[in-house]
Amino acid sequence: MKKKIVLVECWSTGANYVEDILKRGYEPVIVEASDYIGTEADVALFRQIRDFTQKKLPPDVKIIRENPDYNEILRQVREIQPLHIIAGSEFGVGLTVRLAHDLGLPGNPIERLSAMTQKDAMHEALKAHGLRYIRGKIVNSVQEAADFYDEIGAEGIVVKRTRGAATQGLHLCDNREDMLKAVETELKKHVSISTEKSDVLLQERINGREFIVNTVSLNGEHRLVSIWEYDKVKMPNGTNAYNYAETVNELTIGHSRLIRYAFEVADAIGIKYGPVHGEYMIDEKGPVLIEVNCRPMGGSMPRQFVDMAFGQHETDSALEAYLDPEGFALKKQQLYRPLRKAALKFFILPDDTPADTAPILSISRQLKSYYQGSFDRVGRETVLAKTRDVETAGGVVYMIHDNDKVVKRELKLLHTLEMKYPRILFHNLQPEGQKSEENFDLPKIMDMAACHGATLVFSDNLTQAEGVTVVNTDDLQDVYDGFDQGILDLQEDTSFKDLESLLQQIFTFFRKVRQGGRIIVAETTYRRLPYGMDGMDILAKLGGLRIEVPPSGKSSLLVATVL
């Protein structure tokens, strides 16, 4: 019989533990925790994510279901005689520490649990160890918040919850008035569902560059796994939305201090075993902890994706610390040498967005750095609520490339699209533009564009024409390629109802034209796209085309060259 390894909670990137445990010849057992923190809506969302993740697990994985009776959970876990107990998400940390302690298994000290899980206590631990920390206070009223603001004399204040995933309940406040409104909002939510004590925390705001330092530990020895840098966008409601996280591939000035400080933070909060996902700010004074989470980095990253970037992935590296101390020691001596530039692009929804389809899937597949996309909310929710935190991002695209400039350029493009052209990323099943009263005149278009050689016409209204090859949706995939030019003629409502499918077809059409050949689009087509002419320019850029100067005179054609 295989020895068992218990995972307490198992979602986001922590779900990779299951395959890693199986690969190493052990049997994973999932234990559900009941220690979710937040509003009723928050808790419902977390359980929904957990259930969705569990559906992807191998069907024979044993699951010990959520139970408020700790002794019953302890009895069931003791019965299976686990070799190790590991936290697979943020909300599993407390139960992991408690179970490991009560069963006499390797784990983190139970007396340090508050420093590992509560954002106020972890900074108190840093203060006690003589490390840089952020001044803060838990408040029970708006008046207490006002007094704290006046006491520390800092203009910028962060309002957050003492516990919670991602950017739950986070407000970045530039002044006293904004801070008081944020405190009032959070106090009204009664966010602490397990205690009557307030969990609204005020902290002095630190401005600088934000980094992620991921480590794994074996009996108090810490090993660096990866470093990432965040880019976040402040939203109108005062929350901080993730834009992207990108790998740090080469250490530079300030990174040595950051890594050394991260190891000291792990010591101060009492980490002995397992992964630590730490978030840090670097300002003119150097690094300072924002918060740590004693679980793998989030983002639901595929293990193969992380392997391509770093030559290892965090869940397997954490298992190695438990199961192969010699391997851990060897890896600890290796140089930090990421293999490729990688990034996670989180999609920001500026407003509530009706979305029956996700054209962003077709768009992102055109990127040179595209690895995989995840847009699970589309299809589950008819209206995607505007982004408040990482859990309400529209989705995520995993990007990786040998050339870091490619990743940077494509991150910038995607951010431009989500902020200025969101309807081309998420779309409801309704055609946008009005059908043109002008008729599509193929001979006239060919004359204005000076077409010569082999011409492909992708049309939803023509069936044949002299001197050209005409295809519709059913024929497009199978037609040979290498045409000298392609003319796009799509006008009917049925073509524009499902934008996601339409974009797939348009990108396929682009690929049917040879390098150096031209794509020609009449107004009768591009006016039906979201954002009209700009929308067509977006598709041309994403499809790897060079946008050309449009013909002068009365022509309304758009012209691009295949690169």
Side-chain angles (χ1 to χ4, degrees), residues 7-11 30-39 42-44 46-47 50 54 63-74 89-96 98-99 163 191-195:
L7 299 176
V8 182
E9 286 295 295
C10 175
W11 42 285
I30 310 298
V31 173
E32 294 180 346
S34 57
D35 192 21
Y36 289 125
I37 299 296
T39 63
D42 290 333
V43 173
F46 293 141
R47 288 201 169 99
R50 180 181 71 186
Q54 288 180 2
I63 299 176
I64 297 175
R65 296 297 178 184
E66 177 180 341
N67 192 325
D69 183 350
Y70 171 74
N71 288 326
E72 176 57 22
I73 292 288
L74 178 62
S89 91
E90 192 156 334
F91 294 117
V93 173
L95 186 55
T96 297
R98 194 173 175 187
L99 286 170
R163 293 187 61 196
V191 295
S192 182
I193 61 173
S194 60
T195 175

Side-chain angles (χ1 to χ4, degrees), residues 401-435:
H401 201 275
D402 293 329
N403 188 336
D404 64 337
K405 292 180 181 178
V406 170
V407 177
K408 287 280 197 180
R409 182 173 65 245
E410 294 183 339
L411 281 169
K412 183 177 180 181
L413 172 62
L414 291 176
H415 184 53
T416 298
L417 295 183
E418 69 187 349
M419 301 309 290
K420 293 185 177 181
Y421 305 101
R423 295 198 315 279
I424 208 164
L425 303 182
F426 300 95
H427 196 256
N428 59 341
L429 295 176
Q430 293 294 329
E432 288 225 356
Q434 294 298 313
K435 188 172 181 179

Side-chain angles (χ1 to χ4, degrees), residues 38-316:
T39 63
E40 288 185 9
D42 290 333
V43 173
L45 175 61
F46 293 141
R47 288 201 169 99
Q48 185 181 41
I49 293 170
R50 180 181 71 186
D51 294 344
F52 183 78
T53 303
Q54 288 180 2
K55 289 177 182 178
K56 297 181 178 181
L57 298 177
D60 55 346
V61 171
K62 178 181 174 62
I63 299 176
I64 297 175
R65 296 297 178 184
E66 177 180 341
N67 192 325
D69 183 350
Y70 171 74
N71 288 326
E72 176 57 22
I73 292 288
L74 178 62
R75 183 193 67 77
Q76 292 184 60
V77 172
R78 179 183 282 118
E79 205 170 67
I80 63 174
Q81 299 180 329
L83 184 64
H84 293 290
I85 300 177
I86 301 172
S89 91
E90 192 156 334
F91 294 117
V93 173
L95 186 55
T96 297
V97 170
R98 194 173 175 187
L99 286 170
H101 175 267
D102 288 348
L103 295 175
L105 296 174
N108 292 312
I110 195 166
E111 65 272 13
R112 306 296 297 153
L113 183 57
S114 62
M116 298 175 202
T117 57
Q118 297 177 17
K119 297 168 188 177
D120 57 326
M122 58 186 67
H123 282 274
E124 289 298 321
L126 300 188
K127 181 179 179 182
H129 281 74
L131 299 176
R132 186 182 177 194
Y133 67 98
I134 298 176
R135 294 180 293 172
K137 182 179 181 180
I138 294 176
V139 297
N140 293 279
S141 68
V142 172
Q143 184 58 52
E144 283 188 20
D147 293 343
F148 176 75
Y149 182 90
D150 295 338
E151 175 188 333
I152 67 170
E155 289 189 6
I157 291 289
V158 176
V159 179
K160 60 168 69 172
R161 306 176 190 174
T162 59
R163 293 187 61 196
T167 52
Q168 252 190 313
L170 178 70
H171 301 263
L172 304 179
C173 306
D174 294 324
N175 53 56
R176 194 175 194 271
E177 182 181 359
D178 288 348
M179 182 271 297
L180 295 177
K181 287 181 180 177
V183 169
E184 185 174 14
T185 297
E186 291 304 315
L187 286 173
K188 285 180 179 178
K189 288 180 180 178
H190 302 293
V191 295
S192 182
I193 61 173
S194 60
T195 175
E196 294 181 359
K197 178 185 174 183
S198 167
D199 69 351
V200 178
L201 173 65
L202 271 58
Q203 287 183 326
E204 178 183 7
R205 183 174 171 183
I206 307 296
N207 295 305
R209 297 171 64 189
E210 189 169 352
F211 291 86
I212 299 165
V213 180
N214 294 315
T215 60
V216 294
S217 301
L218 168 61
N219 198 25
E221 288 289 323
H222 314 303
R223 177 169 83 80
L224 176 69
V225 175
S226 63
I227 309 176
W228 301 67
E229 183 170 2
Y230 271 133
D231 185 80
K232 292 184 179 181
V233 177
K234 185 176 179 181
M235 303 299 284
N237 63 358
T239 61
N240 218 8
Y242 290 84
N243 182 11
Y244 60 81
E246 62 174 329
T247 55
V248 173
N249 287 48
E250 185 175 343
L251 303 185
T252 187
I253 299 169
H255 289 157
S256 295
R257 288 181 66 190
L258 170 64
I259 297 165
R260 172 53 51 197
Y261 177 75
F263 290 158
E264 292 171 339
V265 166
D267 289 335
I269 66 173
I271 295 298
K272 297 295 183 184
Y273 289 92
V276 172
H277 168 69
E279 299 179 353
Y280 301 85
M281 197 75 77
I282 296 181
D283 63 5
E284 66 280 357
K285 297 179 182 178
V288 65
L289 176 71
I290 302 301
E291 61 187 67
V292 294
N293 300 291
C294 301
R295 44 80 172 165
M297 179 176 169
S300 299
M301 292 189 289
R303 59 186 178 82
Q304 299 91 335
F305 169 75
V306 185
D307 281 336
M308 287 176 65
F310 292 101
Q312 61 179 318
H313 60 279
E314 194 177 355
T315 49
D316 192 59

